[in-house]
Amino acid sequence: MRHYVGGGFDASGVPFPLFDPARGIVVGEAPSASRELVDRAVGAAREALRGPWASWSPADRSRLLHRIADGIEQRFEEFVDAECADTGKPRELASTVDIPRAIANFRSYADLLAGRGERSWHTATPDGRGALNYTVRKPLGVVAVISPWNLPLLLLTWKVAPALATGNTLVAKPSELTPGTACLLAEVMAEADVPAGVFNVVHGGGADAAGQWLTEHPGVDAIAFTGESRTGGAIMRAAAARLAPVSFELGGKNAGLVFADADLEQAVAGTLRSSFTHSGQVCLCTERVYVERSVFDAFAEALAAGARALSGYGPMVSAAHRDKVLGYLGKAAADGEVLAGGGAPRFSDDRDGGFWVEPTVLAGLPEDHPVVREEIFGPVVHLAPFDTEEEALAYANAGPYGLAATVWTGDVGRAHRVAPALDVGIAWVNTWNLRDLRTPFGGVKASGIGREGGDHSLDFFSEPMNVCVKL
């Protein structure tokens, strides 16, 4: 594990341990960036802005993004190995979602960039000769990219690809829990002939470490961050001091609505997927489900049975995160009903030292209970009944978050009525996590600021300028 600064690899810094989440043992270490190294990375990115990179055309950058995608594809199995080693997620998930999506991120932005144009207007003037107004989009400059531990490569590339497409230079800091794929990506960048300093990686923690030093650095022009809402608030305060633009994808306490006219089998299968994919460690996962009262018992019984039958799921990413999730389960057991799961599984092998939590289905808790209101980010879902559509919407829209929601119904009119009424950035009807990379992605309230995806990302990472020419 090495930093990547100014086109070269650097292993300096106090090492910190890396754990195998499945077994709970130390399997390696990574270096913590010093303040001096972070400063050097920002300086390298700043210098690269004034170098040959500044003269690269959109077509040049588009071809580069395709080369990077090719590089990840050629080392596909290495990326899968690194993703699984860092996160403990099942290999099937990493090989069918995380790494393919990282490749798609670079390819989709390469294609969007190649087909993108600017706007122009012919403007009347008093002398009759007119003027031509047109827009030019310019890079923001040096962008800090802070990515989380749950989808390390996918969410890193989701920001890196459009930032490079629009001509910025970057300093990336992956989570200290999952640095592996960022290191491999740096190798791919070098192999793809990305100019020195255009892409940099530094490792380390957040507070009083690389993350804080990077987001507070006066040489950073913009910040793109995915992670916890409280951390987003701290970063926003740092950015406010110099009025740096921010793009935040933050936490969620996502709701699902199941109406009596839904295909119950489909709703149960979809909710199992939306609640327990990557053991609930996805910002889009469903943590609370409201079910129309007439089908509540049947749905709860089927979902609990499905949760008990799940196999092949992964561990929590760390001991601290496992303990946090188990703490919520202890509160739930004391105040409500545990329909399935509720603790740590036993395997009678070396996995018993890992950071595992059973897929858990809860019921019977009041709406103001911490388990219902606070983001748990684990394999935990709470069920509650509702009687009317209005009541379901009130439950779903309550609370500080507004990232995503699911609606399960067989009534097309209800689908079009309910989905837009949800206070979220994205609502899925009779499906979950079906994504078109061109569409806007992000949250409202404490779930984020701004939108990512397609032109929305290209617009964030570039500044429009108007040029007016008198004819």
Side-chain angles (χ1 to χ4, degrees):
M1 299 294 172
R2 298 173 294 175
H3 313 288
Y4 183 66
V5 174
F9 292 94
D10 186 321
S12 65
V14 177
F16 57 88
L18 301 175
F19 288 84
D20 173 5
R23 296 176 294 163
I25 61 173
V26 176
V27 292
E29 61 184 26
S32 295
S34 65
R35 190 187 289 269
E36 184 276 332
L37 185 69
V38 170
D39 187 64
R40 186 154 61 87
V42 174
R46 176 68 56 192
E47 185 63 26
L49 281 172
R50 298 188 287 265
W53 178 245
S55 64
W56 281 42
S57 68
D60 293 331
R61 298 195 297 271
S62 178
R63 286 190 289 270
L64 176 65
L65 295 185
H66 277 299
R67 289 202 302 273
I68 296 167
D70 291 343
I72 299 173
E73 203 162 43
Q74 289 162 9
R75 302 178 65 175
F76 189 92
E77 294 302 326
E78 290 180 70
F79 276 96
V80 171
D81 289 343
E83 187 83 4
C84 293
D86 276 351
T87 64
K89 68 180 56 171
R91 190 174 188 85
E92 180 184 5
L93 185 62
S95 60
T96 59
V97 176
D98 296 83
I99 312 308
R101 171 63 185 279
I103 295 168
N105 285 339
F106 284 106
R107 294 209 193 285
S108 65
Y109 283 109
D111 294 341
L112 277 170
L113 184 62
R116 203 170 197 238
E118 298 291 356
R119 302 187 67 185
S120 63
W121 299 264
H122 289 280
T123 306
T125 57
D127 63 6
R129 299 181 66 177
L132 176 65
N133 279 275
Y134 62 92
T135 60
V136 175
R137 297 203 73 95
K138 302 166 72 172
L140 296 177
V142 177
V143 178
V145 174
I146 314 292
S147 54
W149 49 258
N150 61 327
L151 306 168
L153 185 67
L154 189 162
L155 293 175
L156 176 62
T157 57
W158 185 229
K159 303 177 190 304
V160 168
L164 291 179
T166 45
N168 297 279
T169 60
L170 296 96
V171 182
K173 193 207 83 69
S175 167
E176 63 273 23
L177 299 176
T178 55
T181 47
C183 293
L184 284 178
L185 183 61
E187 293 179 12
V188 167
M189 293 284 183
E191 293 161 0
D193 295 325
V194 175
V198 168
F199 178 77
N200 306 271
V201 176
V202 294
H203 298 292
D208 298 317
Q212 180 177 338
W213 301 331
L214 181 58
T215 55
E216 292 179 349
H217 200 289
V220 168
D221 299 302
I223 302 167
F225 169 74
T226 295
E228 189 183 39
S229 299
R230 283 181 299 177
T231 305
I235 293 174
M236 193 171 184
R237 287 189 289 274
R242 59 186 189 282
L243 300 179
V246 297
S247 174
F248 286 163
E249 196 269 281
L250 305 176
K253 187 70 177 179
N254 306 308
L257 302 181
V258 180
F259 290 90
D261 56 25
D263 180 320
L264 198 62
E265 184 177 344
Q266 182 189 51
V268 169
T271 303
L272 286 170
R273 181 169 169 258
S274 71
S275 298
F276 301 123
T277 291
H278 192 17
S279 296
Q281 296 171 113
V282 179
C283 58
L284 301 169
C285 277
T286 307
E287 290 196 11
R288 52 198 178 105
V289 177
Y290 301 98
V291 185
E292 196 162 357
R293 193 176 300 275
S294 62
V295 295
F296 179 83
D297 289 342
F299 181 90
E301 182 180 350
L303 190 73
R308 287 191 292 268
L310 284 176
S311 61
Y313 58 90
M316 302 294 94
V317 74
S318 68
H321 189 54
R322 174 203 57 199
D323 293 345
K324 170 193 168 184
V325 175
L326 290 176
Y328 278 107
L329 296 188
K331 296 176 184 177
D335 300 327
E337 184 180 1
V338 179
L339 304 181
R346 300 298 298 175
F347 300 99
S348 298
D349 56 33
D350 60 357
R351 289 175 295 173
D352 287 338
F355 312 138
W356 300 83
V357 175
E358 294 172 313
T360 298
V361 180
L362 306 170
L365 295 172
E367 284 298 299
D368 61 353
H369 195 279
V371 170
V372 179
R373 288 189 59 83
E374 298 173 11
E375 183 181 39
I376 299 175
F377 217 64
V380 181
V381 61
H382 179 263
L383 309 182
F386 69 84
D387 293 300
T388 67
E389 189 176 294
E390 293 73 21
E391 185 182 23
L393 281 169
Y395 284 147
N397 288 336
Y401 296 104
L403 184 55
T406 56
V407 179
W408 300 93
T409 179
D411 183 336
V412 67
R414 171 176 279 141
H416 287 289
R417 186 169 60 247
V418 169
L422 290 161
D423 295 335
V424 294
I426 183 168
W428 284 287
V429 178
N430 296 332
T431 188
W432 175 75
N433 203 18
L434 178 60
R435 293 280 294 118
D436 184 317
L437 300 187
R438 298 167 295 183
T439 59
F441 179 84
V444 300
K445 298 189 284 189
S447 289
I449 296 174
R451 292 295 180 267
E452 297 177 287
D455 286 335
H456 307 280
S457 286
L458 296 178
D459 286 344
F460 171 76
F461 285 110
S462 60
E463 194 73 52
M465 174 186 177
N466 180 69
V467 176
C468 178
V469 179
K470 179 69 171 64
L471 302 178

